[in-house]
Amino acid sequence: MTDGYGASAAGGGATSAAARYKETIGLARTAAEELRTWEQAREQQLYAEIQAAEENLTAATEAEEAMADRARRWWSMARDNVARLSWLDVGADPEPVPTARGEQASRYADDIRPAYHELAQAVLKLGWRAR
């Protein structure tokens, strides 16, 4: 009589069952080690991704602050140019636009320079009589 695995149920079955048990335990141990190795590698990968994301966030925050400072300087210069015009109310300082696209920040900044120069030239053309 056999036990379904080809081993006889009499004396040889115990050795066969022990061998299968050892094989199963060995496979389980190998699988656990492979899983542990994979988890450690994944942990390092995720840590590196988190680190990169934090660095990107820091760089983006610094770029945003630099751009806000640059915009404040341009606004201040524009306000100074029109401050002598008694008939013009400058109003409140501009607020950042939350929908502005960060990747186009340099284009936005490049658009400010010619607009400022147009303003400065327009104020100069008014002459002293318009003031």
Side-chain angles (χ1 to χ4, degrees):
M1 185 172 196
T2 64
D3 62 2
Y5 290 102
S8 70
T15 305
S16 194
R20 285 193 314 273
Y21 176 77
K22 285 181 180 181
E23 181 184 356
T24 302
I25 293 300
L27 289 173
R29 183 175 294 121
T30 301
E33 289 172 1
E34 288 175 359
L35 178 61
R36 187 176 309 111
T37 301
W38 178 84
E39 286 176 336
Q40 290 171 343
R42 182 69 175 141
E43 176 189 23
Q44 291 173 354
Q45 178 186 11
L46 290 174
Y47 180 76
E49 289 176 13
I50 290 169
Q51 188 69 26
E54 287 174 349
E55 290 171 3
N56 288 342
L57 179 61
T58 300
T61 301
E62 290 171 358
E64 180 181 13
E65 290 171 1
M67 183 56 68
D69 185 52
R70 189 174 176 187
R72 280 190 294 273
R73 284 194 316 261
W74 280 108
W75 179 254
S76 176
M77 291 183 338
R79 188 178 52 233
D80 289 346
N81 268 307
V82 298
R84 296 177 303 245
L85 304 175
S86 60
W87 50 268
L88 181 64
D89 181 29
V90 176
D93 288 354
E95 293 293 321
V97 177
T99 57
R101 301 180 63 128
E103 63 271 5
Q104 295 184 9
S106 62
R107 195 194 92 208
Y108 297 147
D110 291 342
D111 290 346
I112 293 173
R113 185 182 316 271
Y116 170 77
H117 288 298
E118 285 181 39
L119 171 69
Q121 291 302 313
V123 170
L124 287 174
K125 286 180 184 177
L126 288 173
W128 64 272
R129 288 175 282 212
R131 296 181 186 163

